[in-house]
Amino acid sequence: MKLLTGLLFFSLVLGARGWFSFLGEAAGGAWDILRAYFDMKEANYKDSGKYFHSRGNYDAAQRGPGGVWAAKLISSVRESVQKLTCDNGSTAQKDANDWGRRGNDPNHFRPEGLPDKY
């Protein structure tokens, strides 16, 4: 009985640690998306939106499953808000989000002349 109780206890502890890890990844992924957004606004560079969308999703995905989940959630909410405001996001932005989330290099969308800071 003690063995069963011990196994149950340790599985709960390990499961809780997994949830904390997931939540930490999600928080970090949300920060990555937000940082890419701020960089995009700061750069104010023509045709750079796809690059920053891709980079934010890429950085979030590198954190793990929680980061991917946060990136998908934030992208979905943004697209829903755009539909409500009659400003439909482009298919190119959605493709850039997916590209980055799959772990592909965001520099694929980098516009020529964008400062190296980004």
Side-chain angles (χ1 to χ4, degrees):
M1 187 67 171
K2 288 182 181 180
L3 178 63
L4 181 60
T5 304
L7 288 174
L8 180 63
F9 174 76
F10 284 116
S11 68
L12 289 173
V13 169
L14 291 175
R17 189 178 331 164
W19 274 105
F20 286 126
S21 174
F22 182 86
L23 293 174
E25 292 168 1
W31 174 248
D32 291 332
I33 298 287
L34 190 61
R35 188 180 63 224
Y37 173 77
F38 288 141
D39 285 348
M40 181 175 67
K41 291 299 181 187
E42 179 185 314
N44 194 23
Y45 197 83
K46 185 177 180 178
D47 298 328
S48 65
K50 291 186 292 186
Y51 166 72
F52 286 108
H53 281 270
S54 180
R55 194 193 81 189
N57 280 273
Y58 174 83
D59 291 344
Q62 296 307 301
R63 294 184 180 273
V68 171
W69 175 80
K72 284 182 182 178
L73 179 67
I74 291 168
S75 295
S76 296
V77 168
R78 181 185 55 81
E79 290 168 10
S80 297
V81 168
Q82 285 178 335
K83 285 180 185 175
L84 288 175
T85 60
C86 299
D87 177 26
N88 289 330
S90 71
T91 304
Q93 281 182 349
K94 293 175 190 174
D95 291 343
N97 289 339
D98 292 338
W99 178 271
R101 242 178 290 169
R102 286 191 304 264
N104 296 322
D105 185 10
N107 286 317
H108 175 75
F109 295 104
R110 187 180 187 86
E112 193 173 316
L114 182 67
D116 291 338
K117 175 182 177 182
Y118 307 107

